[in-house]
Amino acid sequence: MTINVLIVDDQAMIRAGFGALLDAQPDIAVVGEAGDGEEGVALCAARRPDVVLMDVRMPVLDGLEATRRLMNPPPGTGYRPRVLMLTTFDIDDYVYEALAAGASGFLLKDAPPADLIQAVRVVAAGEALLAPRVTRRLIEGFVRSRPVASKTPERLKGLTPRETEVLVHVARGRSNGEIAAELFLAEQTVKTHVSRILDKIAARDRAQAIVFAYESGLVRAGETG
């Protein structure tokens, strides 16, 4: 199955470079390019890509607002692509809000080509992609600006003890394989737990689950483990 990708970035060279790299993959096709968020949203409606590579800082309409629009389509539309945010700096404040807006993750523009290709595949498969070297700092920075829930949310109460344990590990950025090794479970079992967790807390993907875990107070900024 071919993964259709739309590239939204105000730098023509970035669009051309990423486009050539992705188009060269047998399972990926670039279906369009846009130079700003407004054009990107319009092209999404027309081309309906599976994944959108979205720059954070752009003229006319930035990546944050464009992501909000894509995640909140007109009634009856039902189409929401996966959004992978692209950022030059790992301290971009917009990234915090992008995760809350519905982005499936982010990738630094200076990441190796292989990482970009893998990121598109991971996000297209419904997983979240968070750049490893800045994940914790970005998430913790995001939640510090928001109040932690004063009481346990009902969605958190609906989790079993094992699901709660798995969510804690997800919030700390661990993969299914790492969680399986830590909890002495089969990786497929962890995958099943994660799927049920996302359903119970009404999270679209792991990125949203991580934000929920911090905002609900299940995991607190600065904690290790």
Side-chain angles (χ1 to χ4, degrees), residues 58-85:
M58 293 181 289
V60 185
L61 189 71
D62 65 31
L64 175 58
E65 182 57 33
T67 298
R68 285 197 184 111
R69 294 186 186 183
L70 290 176
M71 295 301 105
N72 295 279
T77 303
Y79 164 70
R80 291 183 179 86
R82 299 282 176 178
V83 176
L84 178 61
M85 303 300 298

mmCIF file with all atom_site columns, all heavy atoms in Angstrom, residues 58-85:
data_model
loop_
_atom_site.group_PDB
_atom_site.id
_atom_site.type_symbol
_atom_site.label_atom_id
_atom_site.label_alt_id
_atom_site.label_comp_id
_atom_site.label_asym_id
_atom_site.label_entity_id
_atom_site.label_seq_id
_atom_site.pdbx_PDB_ins_code
_atom_site.Cartn_x
_atom_site.Cartn_y
_atom_site.Cartn_z
_atom_site.occupancy
_atom_site.B_iso_or_equiv
_atom_site.pdbx_formal_charge
_atom_site.auth_seq_id
_atom_site.auth_comp_id
_atom_site.auth_asym_id
_atom_site.auth_atom_id
_atom_site.pdbx_PDB_model_num
ATOM 1   N N   . MET A 1 58 ? 5.658   29.391 9.270  1.00 0.00 ? 58 MET A N   1
ATOM 2   C CA  . MET A 1 58 ? 5.403   29.737 7.869  1.00 0.00 ? 58 MET A CA  1
ATOM 3   C C   . MET A 1 58 ? 4.590   31.029 7.800  1.00 0.00 ? 58 MET A C   1
ATOM 4   O O   . MET A 1 58 ? 3.891   31.380 8.753  1.00 0.00 ? 58 MET A O   1
ATOM 5   C CB  . MET A 1 58 ? 4.609   28.613 7.175  1.00 0.00 ? 58 MET A CB  1
ATOM 6   C CG  . MET A 1 58 ? 5.357   27.315 7.011  1.00 0.00 ? 58 MET A CG  1
ATOM 7   S SD  . MET A 1 58 ? 4.335   26.064 6.162  1.00 0.00 ? 58 MET A SD  1
ATOM 8   C CE  . MET A 1 58 ? 3.116   25.695 7.446  1.00 0.00 ? 58 MET A CE  1
ATOM 9   N N   . PRO A 1 59 ? 4.685   31.730 6.670  1.00 0.00 ? 59 PRO A N   1
ATOM 10  C CA  . PRO A 1 59 ? 3.870   32.938 6.484  1.00 0.00 ? 59 PRO A CA  1
ATOM 11  C C   . PRO A 1 59 ? 2.409   32.571 6.189  1.00 0.00 ? 59 PRO A C   1
ATOM 12  O O   . PRO A 1 59 ? 2.097   31.406 5.975  1.00 0.00 ? 59 PRO A O   1
ATOM 13  C CB  . PRO A 1 59 ? 4.526   33.604 5.272  1.00 0.00 ? 59 PRO A CB  1
ATOM 14  C CG  . PRO A 1 59 ? 5.076   32.453 4.488  1.00 0.00 ? 59 PRO A CG  1
ATOM 15  C CD  . PRO A 1 59 ? 5.580   31.482 5.526  1.00 0.00 ? 59 PRO A CD  1
ATOM 16  N N   . VAL A 1 60 ? 1.542   33.561 6.198  1.00 0.00 ? 60 VAL A N   1
ATOM 17  C CA  . VAL A 1 60 ? 0.113   33.428 5.879  1.00 0.00 ? 60 VAL A CA  1
ATOM 18  C C   . VAL A 1 60 ? -0.626  32.638 6.971  1.00 0.00 ? 60 VAL A C   1
ATOM 19  O O   . VAL A 1 60 ? -1.520  33.141 7.642  1.00 0.00 ? 60 VAL A O   1
ATOM 20  C CB  . VAL A 1 60 ? -0.153  32.787 4.500  1.00 0.00 ? 60 VAL A CB  1
ATOM 21  C CG1 . VAL A 1 60 ? -1.650  32.790 4.193  1.00 0.00 ? 60 VAL A CG1 1
ATOM 22  C CG2 . VAL A 1 60 ? 0.622   33.511 3.415  1.00 0.00 ? 60 VAL A CG2 1
ATOM 23  N N   . LEU A 1 61 ? -0.240  31.364 7.132  1.00 0.00 ? 61 LEU A N   1
ATOM 24  C CA  . LEU A 1 61 ? -0.846  30.519 8.168  1.00 0.00 ? 61 LEU A CA  1
ATOM 25  C C   . LEU A 1 61 ? 0.226   29.563 8.671  1.00 0.00 ? 61 LEU A C   1
ATOM 26  O O   . LEU A 1 61 ? 0.797   28.801 7.885  1.00 0.00 ? 61 LEU A O   1
ATOM 27  C CB  . LEU A 1 61 ? -2.029  29.733 7.584  1.00 0.00 ? 61 LEU A CB  1
ATOM 28  C CG  . LEU A 1 61 ? -2.896  28.967 8.588  1.00 0.00 ? 61 LEU A CG  1
ATOM 29  C CD1 . LEU A 1 61 ? -3.726  29.943 9.426  1.00 0.00 ? 61 LEU A CD1 1
ATOM 30  C CD2 . LEU A 1 61 ? -3.824  27.991 7.860  1.00 0.00 ? 61 LEU A CD2 1
ATOM 31  N N   . ASP A 1 62 ? 0.525   29.611 9.956  1.00 0.00 ? 62 ASP A N   1
ATOM 32  C CA  . ASP A 1 62 ? 1.602   28.757 10.470 1.00 0.00 ? 62 ASP A CA  1
ATOM 33  C C   . ASP A 1 62 ? 1.127   27.310 10.628 1.00 0.00 ? 62 ASP A C   1
ATOM 34  O O   . ASP A 1 62 ? -0.054  26.995 10.503 1.00 0.00 ? 62 ASP A O   1
ATOM 35  C CB  . ASP A 1 62 ? 2.168   29.305 11.786 1.00 0.00 ? 62 ASP A CB  1
ATOM 36  C CG  . ASP A 1 62 ? 1.174   29.302 12.943 1.00 0.00 ? 62 ASP A CG  1
ATOM 37  O OD1 . ASP A 1 62 ? 0.311   28.416 12.983 1.00 0.00 ? 62 ASP A OD1 1
ATOM 38  O OD2 . ASP A 1 62 ? 1.276   30.186 13.819 1.00 0.00 ? 62 ASP A OD2 1
ATOM 39  N N   . GLY A 1 63 ? 2.092   26.454 10.908 1.00 0.00 ? 63 GLY A N   1
ATOM 40  C CA  . GLY A 1 63 ? 1.796   25.030 10.992 1.00 0.00 ? 63 GLY A CA  1
ATOM 41  C C   . GLY A 1 63 ? 0.865   24.658 12.122 1.00 0.00 ? 63 GLY A C   1
ATOM 42  O O   . GLY A 1 63 ? 0.107   23.694 12.022 1.00 0.00 ? 63 GLY A O   1
ATOM 43  N N   . LEU A 1 64 ? 0.908   25.422 13.204 1.00 0.00 ? 64 LEU A N   1
ATOM 44  C CA  . LEU A 1 64 ? 0.035   25.139 14.343 1.00 0.00 ? 64 LEU A CA  1
ATOM 45  C C   . LEU A 1 64 ? -1.433  25.331 13.981 1.00 0.00 ? 64 LEU A C   1
ATOM 46  O O   . LEU A 1 64 ? -2.263  24.445 14.191 1.00 0.00 ? 64 LEU A O   1
ATOM 47  C CB  . LEU A 1 64 ? 0.409   26.047 15.511 1.00 0.00 ? 64 LEU A CB  1
ATOM 48  C CG  . LEU A 1 64 ? -0.477  25.964 16.754 1.00 0.00 ? 64 LEU A CG  1
ATOM 49  C CD1 . LEU A 1 64 ? -0.510  24.550 17.306 1.00 0.00 ? 64 LEU A CD1 1
ATOM 50  C CD2 . LEU A 1 64 ? 0.000   26.952 17.809 1.00 0.00 ? 64 LEU A CD2 1
ATOM 51  N N   . GLU A 1 65 ? -1.757  26.483 13.409 1.00 0.00 ? 65 GLU A N   1
ATOM 52  C CA  . GLU A 1 65 ? -3.149  26.753 13.049 1.00 0.00 ? 65 GLU A CA  1
ATOM 53  C C   . GLU A 1 65 ? -3.600  25.842 11.914 1.00 0.00 ? 65 GLU A C   1
ATOM 54  O O   . GLU A 1 65 ? -4.748  25.380 11.888 1.00 0.00 ? 65 GLU A O   1
ATOM 55  C CB  . GLU A 1 65 ? -3.325  28.217 12.651 1.00 0.00 ? 65 GLU A CB  1
ATOM 56  C CG  . GLU A 1 65 ? -4.757  28.615 12.314 1.00 0.00 ? 65 GLU A CG  1
ATOM 57  C CD  . GLU A 1 65 ? -5.739  28.335 13.455 1.00 0.00 ? 65 GLU A CD  1
ATOM 58  O OE1 . GLU A 1 65 ? -5.335  28.431 14.631 1.00 0.00 ? 65 GLU A OE1 1
ATOM 59  O OE2 . GLU A 1 65 ? -6.904  28.001 13.147 1.00 0.00 ? 65 GLU A OE2 1
ATOM 60  N N   . ALA A 1 66 ? -2.700  25.548 10.987 1.00 0.00 ? 66 ALA A N   1
ATOM 61  C CA  . ALA A 1 66 ? -3.042  24.639 9.891  1.00 0.00 ? 66 ALA A CA  1
ATOM 62  C C   . ALA A 1 66 ? -3.379  23.254 10.445 1.00 0.00 ? 66 ALA A C   1
ATOM 63  O O   . ALA A 1 66 ? -4.330  22.603 9.997  1.00 0.00 ? 66 ALA A O   1
ATOM 64  C CB  . ALA A 1 66 ? -1.886  24.545 8.902  1.00 0.00 ? 66 ALA A CB  1
ATOM 65  N N   . THR A 1 67 ? -2.610  22.811 11.438 1.00 0.00 ? 67 THR A N   1
ATOM 66  C CA  . THR A 1 67 ? -2.878  21.506 12.057 1.00 0.00 ? 67 THR A CA  1
ATOM 67  C C   . THR A 1 67 ? -4.228  21.510 12.755 1.00 0.00 ? 67 THR A C   1
ATOM 68  O O   . THR A 1 67 ? -4.997  20.546 12.665 1.00 0.00 ? 67 THR A O   1
ATOM 69  C CB  . THR A 1 67 ? -1.762  21.153 13.059 1.00 0.00 ? 67 THR A CB  1
ATOM 70  O OG1 . THR A 1 67 ? -0.519  21.046 12.354 1.00 0.00 ? 67 THR A OG1 1
ATOM 71  C CG2 . THR A 1 67 ? -2.045  19.831 13.757 1.00 0.00 ? 67 THR A CG2 1
ATOM 72  N N   . ARG A 1 68 ? -4.537  22.592 13.463 1.00 0.00 ? 68 ARG A N   1
ATOM 73  C CA  . ARG A 1 68 ? -5.840  22.691 14.130 1.00 0.00 ? 68 ARG A CA  1
ATOM 74  C C   . ARG A 1 68 ? -6.976  22.549 13.120 1.00 0.00 ? 68 ARG A C   1
ATOM 75  O O   . ARG A 1 68 ? -7.974  21.878 13.366 1.00 0.00 ? 68 ARG A O   1
ATOM 76  C CB  . ARG A 1 68 ? -5.962  24.040 14.850 1.00 0.00 ? 68 ARG A CB  1
ATOM 77  C CG  . ARG A 1 68 ? -5.162  24.159 16.135 1.00 0.00 ? 68 ARG A CG  1
ATOM 78  C CD  . ARG A 1 68 ? -5.657  25.325 16.958 1.00 0.00 ? 68 ARG A CD  1
ATOM 79  N NE  . ARG A 1 68 ? -4.849  25.523 18.150 1.00 0.00 ? 68 ARG A NE  1
ATOM 80  C CZ  . ARG A 1 68 ? -4.039  26.546 18.353 1.00 0.00 ? 68 ARG A CZ  1
ATOM 81  N NH1 . ARG A 1 68 ? -3.902  27.480 17.426 1.00 0.00 ? 68 ARG A NH1 1
ATOM 82  N NH2 . ARG A 1 68 ? -3.360  26.652 19.480 1.00 0.00 ? 68 ARG A NH2 1
ATOM 83  N N   . ARG A 1 69 ? -6.823  23.208 11.987 1.00 0.00 ? 69 ARG A N   1
ATOM 84  C CA  . ARG A 1 69 ? -7.878  23.147 10.965 1.00 0.00 ? 69 ARG A CA  1
ATOM 85  C C   . ARG A 1 69 ? -8.020  21.745 10.397 1.00 0.00 ? 69 ARG A C   1
ATOM 86  O O   . ARG A 1 69 ? -9.127  21.268 10.149 1.00 0.00 ? 69 ARG A O   1
ATOM 87  C CB  . ARG A 1 69 ? -7.588  24.151 9.848  1.00 0.00 ? 69 ARG A CB  1
ATOM 88  C CG  . ARG A 1 69 ? -7.663  25.597 10.306 1.00 0.00 ? 69 ARG A CG  1
ATOM 89  C CD  . ARG A 1 69 ? -7.525  26.554 9.134  1.00 0.00 ? 69 ARG A CD  1
ATOM 90  N NE  . ARG A 1 69 ? -7.448  27.943 9.597  1.00 0.00 ? 69 ARG A NE  1
ATOM 91  C CZ  . ARG A 1 69 ? -7.390  28.989 8.772  1.00 0.00 ? 69 ARG A CZ  1
ATOM 92  N NH1 . ARG A 1 69 ? -7.402  28.801 7.462  1.00 0.00 ? 69 ARG A NH1 1
ATOM 93  N NH2 . ARG A 1 69 ? -7.313  30.210 9.269  1.00 0.00 ? 69 ARG A NH2 1
ATOM 94  N N   . LEU A 1 70 ? -6.881  21.078 10.191 1.00 0.00 ? 70 LEU A N   1
ATOM 95  C CA  . LEU A 1 70 ? -6.934  19.715 9.647  1.00 0.00 ? 70 LEU A CA  1
ATOM 96  C C   . LEU A 1 70 ? -7.549  18.739 10.640 1.00 0.00 ? 70 LEU A C   1
ATOM 97  O O   . LEU A 1 70 ? -8.237  17.793 10.251 1.00 0.00 ? 70 LEU A O   1
ATOM 98  C CB  . LEU A 1 70 ? -5.529  19.249 9.268  1.00 0.00 ? 70 LEU A CB  1
ATOM 99  C CG  . LEU A 1 70 ? -4.882  19.929 8.059  1.00 0.00 ? 70 LEU A CG  1
ATOM 100 C CD1 . LEU A 1 70 ? -3.455  19.438 7.881  1.00 0.00 ? 70 LEU A CD1 1
ATOM 101 C CD2 . LEU A 1 70 ? -5.699  19.684 6.798  1.00 0.00 ? 70 LEU A CD2 1
ATOM 102 N N   . MET A 1 71 ? -7.314  18.958 11.933 1.00 0.00 ? 71 MET A N   1
ATOM 103 C CA  . MET A 1 71 ? -7.856  18.065 12.954 1.00 0.00 ? 71 MET A CA  1
ATOM 104 C C   . MET A 1 71 ? -9.303  18.387 13.306 1.00 0.00 ? 71 MET A C   1
ATOM 105 O O   . MET A 1 71 ? -9.968  17.627 14.018 1.00 0.00 ? 71 MET A O   1
ATOM 106 C CB  . MET A 1 71 ? -6.998  18.127 14.221 1.00 0.00 ? 71 MET A CB  1
ATOM 107 C CG  . MET A 1 71 ? -5.582  17.605 14.058 1.00 0.00 ? 71 MET A CG  1
ATOM 108 S SD  . MET A 1 71 ? -5.503  15.875 13.521 1.00 0.00 ? 71 MET A SD  1
ATOM 109 C CE  . MET A 1 71 ? -5.019  16.100 11.795 1.00 0.00 ? 71 MET A CE  1
ATOM 110 N N   . ASN A 1 72 ? -9.788  19.516 12.841 1.00 0.00 ? 72 ASN A N   1
ATOM 111 C CA  . ASN A 1 72 ? -11.179 19.908 13.088 1.00 0.00 ? 72 ASN A CA  1
ATOM 112 C C   . ASN A 1 72 ? -11.856 20.261 11.768 1.00 0.00 ? 72 ASN A C   1
ATOM 113 O O   . ASN A 1 72 ? -12.195 21.419 11.516 1.00 0.00 ? 72 ASN A O   1
ATOM 114 C CB  . ASN A 1 72 ? -11.232 21.098 14.051 1.00 0.00 ? 72 ASN A CB  1
ATOM 115 C CG  . ASN A 1 72 ? -10.709 20.751 15.430 1.00 0.00 ? 72 ASN A CG  1
ATOM 116 O OD1 . ASN A 1 72 ? -11.409 20.173 16.239 1.00 0.00 ? 72 ASN A OD1 1
ATOM 117 N ND2 . ASN A 1 72 ? -9.454  21.110 15.686 1.00 0.00 ? 72 ASN A ND2 1
ATOM 118 N N   . PRO A 1 73 ? -12.051 19.278 10.909 1.00 0.00 ? 73 PRO A N   1
ATOM 119 C CA  . PRO A 1 73 ? -12.631 19.519 9.585  1.00 0.00 ? 73 PRO A CA  1
ATOM 120 C C   . PRO A 1 73 ? -14.112 19.893 9.686  1.00 0.00 ? 73 PRO A C   1
ATOM 121 O O   . PRO A 1 73 ? -14.734 19.686 10.732 1.00 0.00 ? 73 PRO A O   1
ATOM 122 C CB  . PRO A 1 73 ? -12.443 18.182 8.868  1.00 0.00 ? 73 PRO A CB  1
ATOM 123 C CG  . PRO A 1 73 ? -12.495 17.183 9.981  1.00 0.00 ? 73 PRO A CG  1
ATOM 124 C CD  . PRO A 1 73 ? -11.785 17.843 11.134 1.00 0.00 ? 73 PRO A CD  1
ATOM 125 N N   . PRO A 1 74 ? -14.685 20.422 8.616  1.00 0.00 ? 74 PRO A N   1
ATOM 126 C CA  . PRO A 1 74 ? -16.114 20.762 8.614  1.00 0.00 ? 74 PRO A CA  1
ATOM 127 C C   . PRO A 1 74 ? -16.957 19.527 8.911  1.00 0.00 ? 74 PRO A C   1
ATOM 128 O O   . PRO A 1 74 ? -16.559 18.405 8.592  1.00 0.00 ? 74 PRO A O   1
ATOM 129 C CB  . PRO A 1 74 ? -16.346 21.266 7.176  1.00 0.00 ? 74 PRO A CB  1
ATOM 130 C CG  . PRO A 1 74 ? -15.006 21.732 6.726  1.00 0.00 ? 74 PRO A CG  1
ATOM 131 C CD  . PRO A 1 74 ? -14.023 20.800 7.354  1.00 0.00 ? 74 PRO A CD  1
ATOM 132 N N   . PRO A 1 75 ? -18.117 19.705 9.536  1.00 0.00 ? 75 PRO A N   1
ATOM 133 C CA  . PRO A 1 75 ? -18.998 18.576 9.851  1.00 0.00 ? 75 PRO A CA  1
ATOM 134 C C   . PRO A 1 75 ? -19.298 17.739 8.608  1.00 0.00 ? 75 PRO A C   1
ATOM 135 O O   . PRO A 1 75 ? -19.538 18.270 7.527  1.00 0.00 ? 75 PRO A O   1
ATOM 136 C CB  . PRO A 1 75 ? -20.272 19.266 10.362 1.00 0.00 ? 75 PRO A CB  1
ATOM 137 C CG  . PRO A 1 75 ? -19.790 20.568 10.917 1.00 0.00 ? 75 PRO A CG  1
ATOM 138 C CD  . PRO A 1 75 ? -18.677 20.999 10.003 1.00 0.00 ? 75 PRO A CD  1
ATOM 139 N N   . GLY A 1 76 ? -19.249 16.438 8.784  1.00 0.00 ? 76 GLY A N   1
ATOM 140 C CA  . GLY A 1 76 ? -19.554 15.545 7.680  1.00 0.00 ? 76 GLY A CA  1
ATOM 141 C C   . GLY A 1 76 ? -18.355 15.158 6.838  1.00 0.00 ? 76 GLY A C   1
ATOM 142 O O   . GLY A 1 76 ? -18.428 14.251 6.010  1.00 0.00 ? 76 GLY A O   1
ATOM 143 N N   . THR A 1 77 ? -17.219 15.839 7.066  1.00 0.00 ? 77 THR A N   1
ATOM 144 C CA  . THR A 1 77 ? -16.021 15.550 6.269  1.00 0.00 ? 77 THR A CA  1
ATOM 145 C C   . THR A 1 77 ? -15.392 14.229 6.699  1.00 0.00 ? 77 THR A C   1
ATOM 146 O O   . THR A 1 77 ? -15.171 13.327 5.907  1.00 0.00 ? 77 THR A O   1
ATOM 147 C CB  . THR A 1 77 ? -14.991 16.677 6.392  1.00 0.00 ? 77 THR A CB  1
ATOM 148 O OG1 . THR A 1 77 ? -15.580 17.910 6.004  1.00 0.00 ? 77 THR A OG1 1
ATOM 149 C CG2 . THR A 1 77 ? -13.773 16.390 5.510  1.00 0.00 ? 77 THR A CG2 1
ATOM 150 N N   . GLY A 1 78 ? -15.072 14.141 7.977  1.00 0.00 ? 78 GLY A N   1
ATOM 151 C CA  . GLY A 1 78 ? -14.541 12.896 8.522  1.00 0.00 ? 78 GLY A CA  1
ATOM 152 C C   . GLY A 1 78 ? -13.099 12.592 8.172  1.00 0.00 ? 78 GLY A C   1
ATOM 153 O O   . GLY A 1 78 ? -12.533 11.621 8.659  1.00 0.00 ? 78 GLY A O   1
ATOM 154 N N   . TYR A 1 79 ? -12.474 13.416 7.335  1.00 0.00 ? 79 TYR A N   1
ATOM 155 C CA  . TYR A 1 79 ? -11.102 13.132 6.902  1.00 0.00 ? 79 TYR A CA  1
ATOM 156 C C   . TYR A 1 79 ? -10.103 13.892 7.771  1.00 0.00 ? 79 TYR A C   1
ATOM 157 O O   . TYR A 1 79 ? -10.189 15.107 7.916  1.00 0.00 ? 79 TYR A O   1
ATOM 158 C CB  . TYR A 1 79 ? -10.924 13.519 5.431  1.00 0.00 ? 79 TYR A CB  1
ATOM 159 C CG  . TYR A 1 79 ? -9.470  13.637 5.008  1.00 0.00 ? 79 TYR A CG  1
ATOM 160 C CD1 . TYR A 1 79 ? -8.670  12.503 4.902  1.00 0.00 ? 79 TYR A CD1 1
ATOM 161 C CD2 . TYR A 1 79 ? -8.905  14.882 4.740  1.00 0.00 ? 79 TYR A CD2 1
ATOM 162 C CE1 . TYR A 1 79 ? -7.340  12.600 4.539  1.00 0.00 ? 79 TYR A CE1 1
ATOM 163 C CE2 . TYR A 1 79 ? -7.576  14.991 4.369  1.00 0.00 ? 79 TYR A CE2 1
ATOM 164 C CZ  . TYR A 1 79 ? -6.795  13.846 4.270  1.00 0.00 ? 79 TYR A CZ  1
ATOM 165 O OH  . TYR A 1 79 ? -5.479  13.955 3.921  1.00 0.00 ? 79 TYR A OH  1
ATOM 166 N N   . ARG A 1 80 ? -9.189  13.157 8.356  1.00 0.00 ? 80 ARG A N   1
ATOM 167 C CA  . ARG A 1 80 ? -8.116  13.765 9.143  1.00 0.00 ? 80 ARG A CA  1
ATOM 168 C C   . ARG A 1 80 ? -6.808  13.063 8.797  1.00 0.00 ? 80 ARG A C   1
ATOM 169 O O   . ARG A 1 80 ? -6.656  11.876 9.083  1.00 0.00 ? 80 ARG A O   1
ATOM 170 C CB  . ARG A 1 80 ? -8.376  13.633 10.639 1.00 0.00 ? 80 ARG A CB  1
ATOM 171 C CG  . ARG A 1 80 ? -9.528  14.459 11.182 1.00 0.00 ? 80 ARG A CG  1
ATOM 172 C CD  . ARG A 1 80 ? -9.629  14.297 12.692 1.00 0.00 ? 80 ARG A CD  1
ATOM 173 N NE  . ARG A 1 80 ? -10.709 15.087 13.262 1.00 0.00 ? 80 ARG A NE  1
ATOM 174 C CZ  . ARG A 1 80 ? -11.972 14.687 13.346 1.00 0.00 ? 80 ARG A CZ  1
ATOM 175 N NH1 . ARG A 1 80 ? -12.296 13.492 12.878 1.00 0.00 ? 80 ARG A NH1 1
ATOM 176 N NH2 . ARG A 1 80 ? -12.893 15.463 13.882 1.00 0.00 ? 80 ARG A NH2 1
ATOM 177 N N   . PRO A 1 81 ? -5.868  13.753 8.195  1.00 0.00 ? 81 PRO A N   1
ATOM 178 C CA  . PRO A 1 81 ? -4.587  13.121 7.888  1.00 0.00 ? 81 PRO A CA  1
ATOM 179 C C   . PRO A 1 81 ? -3.722  13.030 9.139  1.00 0.00 ? 81 PRO A C   1
ATOM 180 O O   . PRO A 1 81 ? -4.024  13.662 10.163 1.00 0.00 ? 81 PRO A O   1
ATOM 181 C CB  . PRO A 1 81 ? -3.964  14.091 6.875  1.00 0.00 ? 81 PRO A CB  1
ATOM 182 C CG  . PRO A 1 81 ? -4.480  15.434 7.325  1.00 0.00 ? 81 PRO A CG  1
ATOM 183 C CD  . PRO A 1 81 ? -5.892  15.176 7.769  1.00 0.00 ? 81 PRO A CD  1
ATOM 184 N N   . ARG A 1 82 ? -2.684  12.264 9.097  1.00 0.00 ? 82 ARG A N   1
ATOM 185 C CA  . ARG A 1 82 ? -1.678  12.259 10.151 1.00 0.00 ? 82 ARG A CA  1
ATOM 186 C C   . ARG A 1 82 ? -0.748  13.438 9.892  1.00 0.00 ? 82 ARG A C   1
ATOM 187 O O   . ARG A 1 82 ? -0.315  13.646 8.753  1.00 0.00 ? 82 ARG A O   1
ATOM 188 C CB  . ARG A 1 82 ? -0.883  10.961 10.134 1.00 0.00 ? 82 ARG A CB  1
ATOM 189 C CG  . ARG A 1 82 ? -1.733  9.714  10.357 1.00 0.00 ? 82 ARG A CG  1
ATOM 190 C CD  . ARG A 1 82 ? -2.079  9.533  11.807 1.00 0.00 ? 82 ARG A CD  1
ATOM 191 N NE  . ARG A 1 82 ? -2.976  8.398  12.000 1.00 0.00 ? 82 ARG A NE  1
ATOM 192 C CZ  . ARG A 1 82 ? -3.407  7.999  13.195 1.00 0.00 ? 82 ARG A CZ  1
ATOM 193 N NH1 . ARG A 1 82 ? -3.040  8.655  14.272 1.00 0.00 ? 82 ARG A NH1 1
ATOM 194 N NH2 . ARG A 1 82 ? -4.221  6.970  13.301 1.00 0.00 ? 82 ARG A NH2 1
ATOM 195 N N   . VAL A 1 83 ? -0.444  14.199 10.920 1.00 0.00 ? 83 VAL A N   1
ATOM 196 C CA  . VAL A 1 83 ? 0.421   15.369 10.756 1.00 0.00 ? 83 VAL A CA  1
ATOM 197 C C   . VAL A 1 83 ? 1.736   15.149 11.497 1.00 0.00 ? 83 VAL A C   1
ATOM 198 O O   . VAL A 1 83 ? 1.749   14.877 12.698 1.00 0.00 ? 83 VAL A O   1
ATOM 199 C CB  . VAL A 1 83 ? -0.256  16.648 11.273 1.00 0.00 ? 83 VAL A CB  1
ATOM 200 C CG1 . VAL A 1 83 ? 0.706   17.838 11.173 1.00 0.00 ? 83 VAL A CG1 1
ATOM 201 C CG2 . VAL A 1 83 ? -1.529  16.941 10.478 1.00 0.00 ? 83 VAL A CG2 1
ATOM 202 N N   . LEU A 1 84 ? 2.825   15.269 10.766 1.00 0.00 ? 84 LEU A N   1
ATOM 203 C CA  . LEU A 1 84 ? 4.163   15.161 11.332 1.00 0.00 ? 84 LEU A CA  1
ATOM 204 C C   . LEU A 1 84 ? 4.801   16.538 11.243 1.00 0.00 ? 84 LEU A C   1
ATOM 205 O O   . LEU A 1 84 ? 5.065   17.042 10.151 1.00 0.00 ? 84 LEU A O   1
ATOM 206 C CB  . LEU A 1 84 ? 4.989   14.135 10.555 1.00 0.00 ? 84 LEU A CB  1
ATOM 207 C CG  . LEU A 1 84 ? 6.440   13.923 10.987 1.00 0.00 ? 84 LEU A CG  1
ATOM 208 C CD1 . LEU A 1 84 ? 6.508   13.438 12.424 1.00 0.00 ? 84 LEU A CD1 1
ATOM 209 C CD2 . LEU A 1 84 ? 7.116   12.904 10.062 1.00 0.00 ? 84 LEU A CD2 1
ATOM 210 N N   . MET A 1 85 ? 5.016   17.170 12.391 1.00 0.00 ? 85 MET A N   1
ATOM 211 C CA  . MET A 1 85 ? 5.555   18.527 12.416 1.00 0.00 ? 85 MET A CA  1
ATOM 212 C C   . MET A 1 85 ? 7.060   18.509 12.135 1.00 0.00 ? 85 MET A C   1
ATOM 213 O O   . MET A 1 85 ? 7.792   17.658 12.631 1.00 0.00 ? 85 MET A O   1
ATOM 214 C CB  . MET A 1 85 ? 5.315   19.178 13.776 1.00 0.00 ? 85 MET A CB  1
ATOM 215 C CG  . MET A 1 85 ? 3.866   19.236 14.222 1.00 0.00 ? 85 MET A CG  1
ATOM 216 S SD  . MET A 1 85 ? 2.777   20.166 13.116 1.00 0.00 ? 85 MET A SD  1
ATOM 217 C CE  . MET A 1 85 ? 3.498   21.811 13.207 1.00 0.00 ? 85 MET A CE  1
#
